[in-house]
Amino acid sequence: MTPERPPGGSGPSRLVRFGFELLLRIFPGRFRSRFGDSMRETFDLRYRELRAVSRRSLLFFLLKTATNMPASGLRERVQRPHPHPDSPAGRARRESHRNQNTGSLLMDTLRQDLAFALRSLARNRTFSLAALLTLALGIGATTSIFSVVNGVLLKPLPFQDQDRLVSVFTVSEEHPDSRGNMSGPDMADLADTPALETAVGFMRGTATLTGRGEARLVSDARVSEGLLSTFGLQPFMGRDLRPEESIPGAPRSVVIGYGFWREELGESPDALGQTLELQGDTYEIVGVAPPGFEFPEGARLWRPYYRSDEGCGRGCHVYYSVGRLADGASLEQAREQAEALALRLDEQFPDSNYEKRFNLMTLEDDVVGEIRADLWILLAAVTLVLLVACANVANLLLARAQGRMGEVGIRAAMGAGRMRLLQQVLTESLVLALMGGGLGVALTFVGVDMLKGMAPESLPRVDEITLDSSVLAFALLLSLAVSLVFGLSPALRLARSSPADALGRSRRGGDAGRAGSRSRSLLLASEVALSLILLVGAGLLLRTLGELKSIQPGFRTEQITRFTLSIPESTYPELEEVAGFYERLEERLAAIPGVESVGSTFGAALGSMSATGVAQVEGRPEPPPGEEIPARLRPVTPGYLETMGIPVLTGRGIEPSDRAGTMEVALINETLAAALFPDEDPLGKRLSVSVDFGFGSPARTIVGVVADTRMRALTSAAPGAFYVPQRQYGPSFMTVAVRSRPGAGNLMESIRREVASLDPNLPLRNVETMRQVVDAEMAPTRFFLTLLGVFAGLAVVLASVGLYGVATYMVSRRRQEIGIRMALGAESGRVTGMVVRQAAAPVLLGVLVGLATAMAGARVMEGFLFQVNPRDPLVFVGVTGLLVAVSFLATLLPARQASRVDPGEALRRE
Amino acid sequence: MHSTCNKHEPVADERTRIPGTPGTTWTRQDDQEQNVKVENTHPEGLPLSALDLQVLLVLSRSDLYGYAIMKEVETLSEGLLSPEIGSLYRVLGRLMDMGWVGEAPAPADEPDGHRGKPRRYYRITEQGRTVARAELNRLKKVLDHAGKLAPEAVG
């Protein structure tokens, strides 16, 4: 007979196979070699069969297997090898096995065991409390990190057919993995490749909302064509944006987010057809997006982007672009077609597309790809803490098991079955783990809030991090797993105890005592090793933070507040009005008591806007493609360099007299000077910078060289910069920096008042101090450092508590021996040394294993580090020293107690 | 299948057992019941657990490999018994130790289009058949006996 339907679904994943492999290990080796292969195959076939049926039955099967395998494996283990059926032992065995196959009896004993476990936990309060707290910390920390992993990585994005959504970027041939914006024409060509159904561009930004109370900023996105259809979504109300609405002159329409509709319009059913004043224009609300749709991150309004190719063609990379794969097309195909298109465009439009390529990735990778590895590493790190916690509890249980050997031996002698004993001890572990898990979940409530508060802004999907049912299920499974991890070895030891133990043979270190001390030492060694690994990680991050802090950004970071203004073209149409506005503004701000200086720039350091173009020295031939020298174009007002503390090295700075009508001047920074004029004096030379979309500057006379400043990120070298007087150039979008005198307090109130007195309809964007800006750059490092530091600290504390406990236990068991030694004249120093030496062995072993593992796995940390070698000797030596010192202290106390043993008293106790 | 704690069930007892080959006959007075005499042809190791018996019964129809045994037990018991992997192989191990089940060569035409390493097939031994028959007999007697005591319960 064979099964009627051949199993259909796909086989178990590697993780599941690994899990089954672990479960198999619970069986004795003899059994495994006999049936292991068959069991694997049966599992595999059953898995395929049920997978084809339903997820539910598959899950049920996995759960049942996860409980049945350990139970069967343990039974197999505690029973002696199968005796010959005709021997008396064989007969007795069959009798006993008969007794184990009964269901109702099982429930009875379970109830008994539960009651017993609770009684015994209540009796040993100190032990229970220590074990519970340890477990709660471990499980709570692990569950908290899991909730982050779950929210950010595991929950699906709120789109239909997430797998078919791809992000599309323009990249240079040199940096194929970077993510640059797309230009409109490139995007349109890409959308025409057969593998892509559509490609839509977004311009993220903020819009000024007026006419509804105070003027304020709303995050919005401007869309090249359509919106929701790309994501396979239907509007909650009304309709989607239409492609034809992106043509200049079309009526102005806006789709509002569900959150905006709820909070700003009070869920009004008549929202459709109402109007919003955005950036001074009137838009009609045509639709409400479905709940949860806030793409790109945080957008609350979506308006069409009015395409106009004037001055903004292929070279104008403004769109963050999302495409949808055509039915049946794979990402690979889309990539191939995009590559072919890029090569064609490269040839056809060398001015704009020279060595430009396209980078396609799934939207999911785009949103969470960068953080994915980091979060898994974090989860791995916290799992190490949990393992340390388990080892500690196992140690506590082992010590207690040793104390119970006598009692259990008597029970074994009186005929208690091994299985029964094992079951009882395991029940106790389970109760402990579940209670610890419950406490841990309570801690998770706090932990998740803390994590969300600490998370750097670069962490996506923070709002999705919640304690939902999958997190709770995780905590439950974790508790079950944990109970096996820490409960198994003590339980097996107890179940193996023989009647001889009851007769006291083991009380002074017989076979059983030695085996017990060996498992304790191994547990300690693994605690030390795990702690060391975590300490190395934390140490490396600490060094990285130090490196980050020692970076000289090239500008002041203290006492400076900055904000961004964008003055509307309708009120300030010409350069004269724009320059006049900023001049008046800076005068007023400078007059505020406490303000030391004021200056403005476009493309501020570590900001989101910048314009980079190609520098061209007048009179030199045009550089061949690929050898252009890039320069950041930075319009500044006269006070900017002084406010930010950027020194002028040669020549002069930007003067108030550099205004329209006077000589067109510019400053360059050291990097640009070195690149363009390695052997010449740059002063007096004329230089132009051409940026796409008409944002370039014709040739200007260089009148000064200033020091470098870091621009893109603290960790990336300063780019070449080309400073031009804002009064000769514009633009209307500027970042204003205000430096205050020390002790001037918060001036924001006065600053806002002055801005409003000039123009009441101007909201201040991105108000931040330079300290905040710089700190935000270090936030991810700080975040991971804090967490790894906490984990490492927890692990070290747990490990030293474990060491202390074991050393104390050791001393108490050897009191008589120590007493005799001292009676025979051993000095107290020697006794102390003896105890410390004995505890040193597992510490040493743990340090060696930990160091080797950390060395081998150091590369995991590479992505987190900046100018720190993942095998930094300073870190390795430092944390080893720290750990050894802590371990030494943890054993010193019990060792000194040992040296104070009174020989007479110790001997009398016998 | 609850085989212990059953007051109506005759239980083999060391003192009354007459040594001999499997299939020894013995009589035993049940001290709980009102002098009911049960005669039984009983090999070693009865009663069997439900799963033991099912595996033997399934194998008495044809040689099978592990997963097929699992499926067959499930089918034949109409879903009443759905053995877990761990339990199933423990039972198989035990039945083999008892000499009731042995290994069999894989048939030339393996079902399910199986490729790769040949599967391990299991075959019931003559002794196994005897044991299964004896267990069924015993169960039948238990039922008959129960039927006499409480006809309405057995029906």
Side-chain angles (χ1 to χ4, degrees):
Chain A
M1 280 301 289
T2 53
E4 312 217 326
R5 189 165 43 86
S10 56
S13 68
R14 261 178 43 200
L15 186 72
V16 172
R17 275 180 216 278
F18 178 69
F20 189 73
E21 214 44 53
L22 284 183
L23 291 174
L24 261 183
R25 300 276 140 187
I26 301 174
F27 285 85
R30 189 171 24 80
F31 191 90
R32 271 207 311 275
S33 54
R34 197 169 168 201
F35 289 119
D37 281 345
S38 305
M39 289 173 83
R40 278 183 207 108
E41 192 206 36
T42 305
F43 177 73
D44 192 87
L45 287 169
R46 186 69 163 176
Y47 187 97
R48 286 168 198 275
E49 174 201 344
L50 293 175
R51 175 153 198 163
V53 176
S54 75
R55 269 177 88 109
R56 200 193 170 81
S57 52
L58 183 64
L59 198 70
F60 199 52
F61 163 66
L62 288 179
L63 273 176
K64 281 201 300 188
T65 306
T67 48
N68 174 266
M69 289 285 287
S72 305
L74 290 176
R75 286 183 173 178
E76 199 62 36
R77 236 171 224 282
V78 291
Q79 277 167 13
R80 293 199 176 76
H82 290 270
H84 191 269
D86 281 342
S87 70
R91 269 178 251 123
R93 220 176 87 70
R94 282 196 303 280
E95 289 296 313
S96 79
H97 118 240
R98 212 179 284 168
N99 295 340
Q100 286 162 9
N101 278 312
T102 51
S104 67
L105 195 64
L106 198 74
M107 283 318 287
D108 279 350
T109 58
L110 188 65
R111 211 171 300 130
Q112 270 176 23
D113 288 346
L114 272 178
F116 182 85
L118 289 172
R119 267 204 311 277
S120 117
L121 286 178
R123 208 168 40 233
N124 304 295
R125 288 239 180 85
T126 325
F127 159 81
S128 312
L129 205 66
L132 274 184
L133 277 181
T134 308
L135 287 175
L137 278 175
I139 294 176
T142 311
T143 309
S144 301
I145 298 295
F146 176 78
S147 70
V148 176
V149 170
N150 180 48
V152 177
L153 300 183
L154 301 183
K155 278 190 200 170
L157 300 172
F159 312 128
Q160 282 283 305
D161 309 332
Q162 181 182 329
D163 298 341
R164 286 174 57 201
L165 295 173
V166 291
S167 294
V168 187
F169 299 101
T170 309
V171 296
S172 65
E173 208 177 34
E174 272 173 63
H175 303 287
D177 293 327
S178 61
R179 302 185 206 181
N181 281 340
M182 294 285 290
S183 74
D186 282 357
M187 200 169 68
D189 286 345
L190 202 61
D192 286 341
T193 58
L196 283 184
E197 198 175 292
T198 57
V200 188
F202 291 88
M203 283 177 74
R204 287 176 270 202
T206 45
T208 311
L209 176 69
T210 47
R212 285 182 179 268
E214 214 175 297
R216 78 207 112 103
L217 292 167
V218 185
S219 322
D220 82 335
R222 292 162 75 191
V223 196
S224 68
E225 57 173 88
L227 169 69
L228 297 171
S229 59
T230 305
F231 299 93
L233 297 174
Q234 295 297 320
F236 177 74
M237 241 164 76
R239 64 170 174 84
D240 196 359
L241 291 176
R242 292 180 183 138
E244 60 268 24
E245 282 172 320
S246 298
I247 295 161
R252 294 177 195 275
S253 314
V254 61
V255 166
I256 59 175
Y258 184 83
F260 186 90
W261 176 65
R262 218 178 43 199
E263 286 147 35
E264 303 282 338
L265 302 175
E267 303 193 17
S268 158
D270 315 319
L272 301 181
Q274 289 189 24
T275 57
L276 292 179
E277 298 278 323
L278 295 168
Q279 304 285 86
D281 291 319
T282 305
Y283 287 80
E284 185 190 334
I285 298 175
V286 296
V288 177
F293 182 81
E294 293 182 352
F295 187 87
E297 189 125 338
R300 309 185 76 199
L301 300 174
W302 296 268
R303 297 179 283 154
Y305 178 68
Y306 302 108
R307 274 196 302 253
S308 84
D309 292 337
E310 255 175 70
C312 197
R314 287 197 187 270
C316 179
H317 298 102
V318 294
Y319 289 117
Y320 165 56
S321 181
V322 173
R324 188 178 178 81
L325 291 175
D327 269 331
S330 69
L331 181 60
E332 224 22 72
Q333 287 168 330
R335 280 186 175 144
E336 278 162 23
Q337 292 169 12
E339 181 71 15
L341 173 69
L343 290 172
R344 214 174 62 229
L345 294 175
D346 190 342
E347 209 153 281
Q348 214 171 338
F349 306 101
D351 287 347
S352 55
N353 287 50
Y354 178 74
E355 289 193 345
K356 291 275 194 304
R357 299 289 178 269
F358 300 119
N359 179 11
L360 275 69
M361 62 179 83
T362 64
L363 183 59
E364 191 191 0
D365 277 349
D366 178 30
V367 174
V368 299
E370 285 189 342
I371 201 84
R372 190 180 286 142
D374 299 0
L375 288 184
W376 286 119
I377 288 173
L378 217 49
L379 193 62
V382 79
T383 309
L384 298 189
V385 180
L386 183 64
L387 286 178
V388 173
C390 284
N392 234 2
V393 175
N395 245 336
L396 284 172
L397 281 173
L398 265 181
R400 220 172 50 127
Q402 205 71 39
R404 280 176 66 186
M405 290 293 264
E407 167 212 334
V408 173
I410 292 172
R411 290 167 58 173
M414 294 179 67
R418 271 153 202 288
M419 195 55 220
R420 186 74 184 70
L421 285 173
L422 185 64
Q423 192 180 322
Q424 190 185 70
V425 181
L426 276 181
T427 308
E428 210 174 316
S429 304
L430 190 66
V431 168
L432 207 54
L434 286 178
M435 285 169 72
L439 266 181
V441 169
L443 283 181
T444 307
F445 276 97
V446 186
V448 166
D449 274 354
M450 267 169 48
L451 282 172
K452 284 168 87 166
M454 270 166 56
E457 274 181 38
S458 53
L459 184 71
R461 308 186 75 198
V462 172
D463 293 338
E464 304 275 344
I465 303 172
T466 47
L467 262 183
D468 58 11
S469 54
S470 31
V471 174
L472 292 179
F474 174 83
L476 181 66
L477 282 179
L478 196 65
S479 309
L480 293 178
V482 155
S483 79
L484 270 187
V485 172
F486 72 71
L488 212 51
S489 103
L492 281 176
R493 278 201 52 62
L494 266 189
R496 258 192 244 119
S497 59
S498 66
D501 295 323
L503 303 176
R505 198 183 63 188
S506 73
R507 286 235 309 274
R508 254 170 298 149
D511 268 4
R514 222 173 292 142
S517 95
R518 198 170 51 234
S519 18
R520 271 196 303 278
S521 296
L522 279 180
L523 283 170
L524 274 185
S526 51
E527 285 186 55
V528 170
L530 293 169
S531 308
L532 189 69
I533 294 169
L534 287 168
L535 274 178
V536 166
L540 290 172
L541 283 178
L542 193 65
R543 290 263 290 125
T544 296
L545 190 65
E547 289 290 330
L548 287 178
K549 279 186 166 170
S550 70
I551 291 174
Q552 297 294 326
F555 50 80
R556 288 183 208 229
T557 53
E558 304 306 325
Q559 299 296 126
I560 295 177
T561 303
R562 74 181 190 189
F563 57 91
T564 301
L565 286 179
S566 174
I567 56 179
E569 222 174 290
S570 47
T571 327
Y572 308 89
E574 297 297 330
L575 174 62
E576 204 181 321
E577 285 95 0
V578 170
F581 171 82
Y582 283 104
E583 199 173 336
R584 281 198 305 283
L585 176 70
E586 290 190 358
E587 267 168 30
R588 289 193 179 207
L589 293 180
I592 297 174
V595 169
E596 199 154 271
S597 74
V598 183
S600 313
T601 184
F602 171 83
L606 311 179
S608 55
M609 295 288 278
S610 70
T612 299
V614 176
Q616 167 69 42
V617 182
E618 205 176 63
R620 290 191 194 170
E622 237 177 77
E627 286 171 33
E628 299 99 338
I629 289 176
R632 280 211 175 195
L633 183 63
R634 301 195 64 190
V636 292
T637 59
Y640 183 72
L641 295 177
E642 153 42 31
T643 303
M644 297 303 289
I646 302 169
V648 177
L649 301 174
T650 51
R652 65 170 178 94
I654 303 279
E655 301 294 333
S657 54
D658 292 324
R659 50 179 71 245
T662 66
M663 180 174 72
E664 304 225 295
V665 297
L667 312 177
I668 58 177
N669 68 354
E670 287 172 277
T671 300
L672 191 58
L676 290 174
F677 310 104
D679 317 305
E680 291 171 83
D681 182 7
L683 298 190
K685 298 277 186 322
R686 285 173 60 79
L687 186 67
S688 69
V689 169
S690 60
V691 186
D692 291 316
F693 54 105
F695 198 84
S697 163
R700 293 168 171 272
T701 308
I702 298 170
V703 294
V705 177
V706 300
D708 282 342
T709 57
R710 304 220 164 189
M711 299 293 299
R712 276 191 297 270
L714 272 188
T715 51
S716 50
F722 186 67
Y723 292 89
V724 302
Q726 191 252 0
R727 289 175 192 176
Q728 290 180 346
Y729 185 86
S732 56
F733 180 98
M734 296 288 278
T735 299
V736 183
V738 179
R739 180 147 63 87
S740 59
R741 294 197 180 89
N746 190 345
L747 302 174
M748 268 331 287
E749 189 88 354
S750 327
I751 292 173
R752 280 182 197 279
R753 209 165 36 235
E754 293 301 333
V755 175
S757 75
L758 270 178
D759 188 332
N761 280 331
L762 283 184
L764 276 63
R765 306 180 184 196
N766 307 332
V767 180
E768 55 201 356
T769 66
M770 281 316 283
R771 171 75 2 230
Q772 287 167 340
V773 174
V774 170
D775 281 349
E777 288 275 304
M778 303 185 199
T781 304
R782 273 182 210 276
F783 179 65
F784 288 108
L785 172 62
T786 311
L787 288 179
L788 266 193
V790 167
F791 297 162
L794 264 179
V796 170
V797 167
L798 289 176
S800 40
V801 167
L803 259 174
Y804 172 81
V806 169
T808 309
Y809 177 74
M810 202 168 73
V811 169
S812 77
R813 281 179 59 83
R814 293 179 58 184
R815 275 186 91 81
Q816 282 142 25
E817 180 208 321
I818 293 170
I820 293 170
R821 279 172 189 261
M822 296 195 55
L824 292 176
E827 289 160 29
S828 67
R830 285 182 69 95
V831 171
T832 310
M834 179 185 79
V835 175
V836 169
R837 261 199 310 283
Q838 194 158 6
V843 172
L844 209 64
L845 179 65
V847 164
L848 287 180
V849 172
L851 279 178
T853 317
M855 283 296 249
R859 287 203 25 224
V860 171
M861 289 297 292
E862 244 162 18
F864 292 94
L865 304 183
F866 171 68
Q867 292 193 348
V868 174
N869 180 349
R871 293 184 178 147
D872 187 66
L874 190 67
V875 168
F876 276 73
V877 171
V879 299
T880 307
L882 178 73
L883 195 58
V884 169
V886 170
S887 312
F888 178 69
L889 286 179
T891 48
L892 199 58
L893 212 63
R896 291 185 60 86
Q897 266 171 12
S899 71
R900 283 196 290 269
V901 167
D902 171 13
E905 188 244 351
L907 290 173
R908 270 195 301 281
R909 275 176 43 156
E910 181 65 330
Chain B
M1 186 79 178
H2 309 294
S3 48
T4 40
C5 311
N6 192 335
K7 290 175 184 172
H8 308 294
E9 190 188 325
V11 177
D13 186 277
E14 288 292 324
R15 282 163 302 174
T16 55
R17 201 179 68 81
I18 303 159
T21 51
T24 311
T25 310
W26 79 88
T27 53
R28 178 174 187 269
Q29 187 133 352
D30 192 294
D31 44 25
Q32 301 287 325
E33 278 309 326
Q34 304 85 14
N35 300 321
V36 185
K37 261 189 187 169
V38 180
E39 284 203 17
N40 207 348
T41 343
H42 234 231
E44 287 275 338
L46 293 198
L48 296 173
S49 82
L51 190 53
D52 288 345
L53 180 62
Q54 290 293 325
V55 171
L56 285 178
L57 291 179
V58 163
L59 286 178
S60 69
R61 294 155 61 108
S62 69
D63 298 349
L64 290 175
Y65 61 99
Y67 171 69
I69 297 178
M70 193 164 164
K71 288 296 292 177
E72 280 295 293
V73 168
E74 210 173 39
T75 317
L76 289 182
S77 69
E78 289 169 349
L80 209 66
L81 276 177
S82 171
E84 302 300 329
I85 296 174
S87 310
L88 176 69
Y89 280 93
R90 280 196 75 220
V91 164
L92 273 176
R94 200 159 59 220
L95 296 179
M96 288 172 85
D97 287 346
M98 299 296 275
W100 296 343
V101 167
E103 284 197 45
D109 54 330
E110 278 218 59
D112 305 345
H114 175 68
R115 287 180 302 269
K117 213 158 68 169
R119 287 165 169 149
R120 281 177 67 178
Y121 275 70
Y122 302 95
R123 170 178 291 171
I124 191 166
T125 61
E126 266 321 302
Q127 207 183 349
R129 285 186 200 277
T130 317
V131 168
R133 257 197 309 275
E135 172 70 1
L136 288 178
N137 258 329
R138 190 191 63 81
L139 286 173
K140 193 160 162 290
K141 284 194 174 135
V142 169
L143 262 185
D144 289 350
H145 177 53
K148 277 180 216 150
L149 286 176
E152 71 288 345
V154 177

